[in-house]
């Protein structure tokens, strides 16, 4: 899913322009879907509920996962625009591995991976405009696009929740891969007026252990104040 981030953002932008454009233009399926989304359906998503209520696992600085001790820490990313709790063993994916796993011009700019390359976490601040108030509609758009562009074998959950006072939308699903399947947790938020898309994936064999960890990592996402807003600069 990660390498489709910008492509998906382009599709959403096109549909939004159709909504705002002149009458008489042919409407895309996504445009029709956006128009048909009722306010009742959006109200079913408890957008004012804190994410910690949904995901019970607690993250600790040191955890035992798959019989291995893994240290976690808060890590600033994307030029200190965000921070999130991650395993200390996660490092940036090498160029050669990126070319093999993300063979597309739409690959995200930051991809972190575990030492075995079986667990990946990508972060992409896209060109798609987005505000916190638009997050619910954006979530519906993402759900539609994922169902129509990805070869989904399972769909587990989707919704919108609050993380540190900001809306975060998320989708959980399974996709096929070479000789296995991949569990995906994709979540998104508004950052500096644009859509931030974060995508976690791991092999099906590691899903039972890492799904609750990924969910909880999502609840640690922070939008950091910029120096212009009076916030302190982070150092790596």
């Amino acid at each position: 899913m990660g390498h489709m981030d910008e492509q998906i953002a382009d599709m959403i932008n096109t549909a939004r322009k159709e909504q705002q454009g002149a009458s008489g233009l042919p409407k895309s399926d996504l445009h029709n879907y956006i128009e048909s989304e009722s306010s009742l359906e959006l109200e079913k998503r408890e957008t004012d509920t804190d994410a910690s209520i949904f995901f019970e696992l607690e993250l600790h600085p040191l955890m035992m996962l798959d019989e291995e001790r893994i240290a976690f820490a808060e890590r600033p990313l994307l030029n200190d625009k965000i921070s999130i709790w991650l395993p200390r063993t996660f490092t940036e994916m090498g160029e050669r591995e990126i070319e093999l796993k993300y063979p597309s011009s739409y690959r995200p700019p930051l991809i972190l991976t575990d030492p075995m390359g079986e667990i990946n976490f990508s972060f992409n601040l896209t060109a798609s405009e987005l505000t916190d108030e638009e997050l619910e509609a954006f979530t519906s758009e993402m759900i539609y696009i994922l169902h129509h562009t990805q070869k989904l074998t399972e769909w587990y959950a989707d919704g919108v929740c609050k993380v540190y006072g900001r809306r975060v939308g998320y989708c959980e699903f399974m996709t096929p891969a070479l000789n296995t399947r991949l569990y995906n947790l994709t979540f998104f938020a508004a950052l500096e007026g644009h859509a931030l898309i974060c995508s976690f994936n791991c092999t099906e064999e590691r899903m039972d252990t890492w799904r609750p960890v990924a969910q909880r990592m999502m609840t640690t996402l922070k939008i950091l104040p910029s120096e212009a807003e009076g916030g302190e600069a982070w150092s790596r």
Side-chain angles (χ1 to χ4, degrees):
M1 153 63 193
H3 63 281
M4 303 249 334
D5 290 352
E6 290 287 356
Q7 188 176 15
I8 287 173
D10 287 344
M11 294 173 68
I12 291 174
N13 276 335
T14 298
R16 286 181 171 177
K17 287 177 182 177
E18 286 181 8
Q19 286 181 294
Q20 299 168 359
S23 61
L25 292 175
K27 297 179 181 179
S28 66
D29 290 340
L30 176 55
H31 184 181
N32 290 327
Y33 177 79
I34 294 169
E35 285 191 334
S36 67
E37 272 288 281
S38 67
S39 59
L40 178 61
E41 176 144 359
L42 290 176
E43 288 171 1
K44 292 178 183 177
R45 301 181 181 126
E46 300 182 37
T47 58
D48 292 325
T49 303
D50 190 271
S52 60
I53 295 176
F54 298 129
F55 309 115
E56 298 179 355
L57 177 74
E58 292 290 340
L59 282 184
H60 300 282
L62 189 64
M63 299 183 69
M64 183 69 74
L65 301 172
D66 289 334
E67 301 181 352
E68 179 183 0
R69 291 184 182 274
I70 297 180
F72 284 77
E74 185 176 13
R75 182 170 175 176
L77 300 170
L78 301 180
N79 295 320
D80 304 331
K81 296 180 187 297
I82 65 170
S83 72
I84 190 169
W85 274 66
L86 295 169
R88 289 183 177 272
T89 54
F90 277 27
T91 58
E92 289 194 38
M93 186 178 290
E95 286 297 325
R96 180 171 176 79
E97 191 175 4
I98 288 176
E99 290 176 1
L100 291 173
K101 290 190 174 183
Y102 297 82
S104 167
S105 60
Y106 291 109
R107 66 174 62 100
L110 177 61
I111 308 168
L112 304 177
T113 187
D114 74 320
M116 299 298 292
E118 296 178 345
I119 305 169
N120 305 305
F121 216 148
S122 69
F123 301 85
N124 189 3
L125 182 56
T126 71
S128 182
E129 295 182 356
L130 181 67
T131 65
D132 195 58
E133 291 74 21
E134 297 170 329
L135 204 282
E136 291 177 73
F138 185 86
T139 299
S140 297
E141 294 161 3
M142 287 291 293
I143 292 169
Y144 174 90
I145 291 172
L146 287 170
H147 275 291
H148 287 77
T149 63
Q150 301 292 295
K151 296 179 180 178
L152 306 175
T153 58
E154 300 280 350
W155 186 272
Y156 296 109
D158 59 74
V160 179
C161 56
K162 282 288 187 72
V163 176
Y164 292 108
R166 292 178 179 264
R167 290 183 176 92
V168 172
Y170 64 91
C171 306
E172 290 184 275
F173 52 94
M174 189 81 80
T175 54
L178 185 64
N179 300 322
T180 186
R181 297 196 302 170
L182 291 178
Y183 162 75
N184 299 265
L185 170 62
T186 297
F187 55 98
F188 16 90
L191 173 59
E192 298 183 344
H194 293 85
L196 169 69
I197 301 180
C198 310
S199 300
F200 172 95
N201 66 59
C202 68
T203 58
E204 183 177 17
E205 293 76 14
R206 309 198 66 176
M207 173 183 167
D208 287 347
T209 297
W210 281 94
R211 181 186 181 189
V213 176
Q215 292 170 338
R216 199 60 185 187
M217 285 193 290
M218 177 182 71
T219 70
T220 68
L221 175 69
K222 289 182 182 178
I223 307 299
L224 300 179
S226 66
E227 292 184 71
E229 295 171 338
E232 297 181 1
W234 284 80
S235 59
R236 294 190 184 279

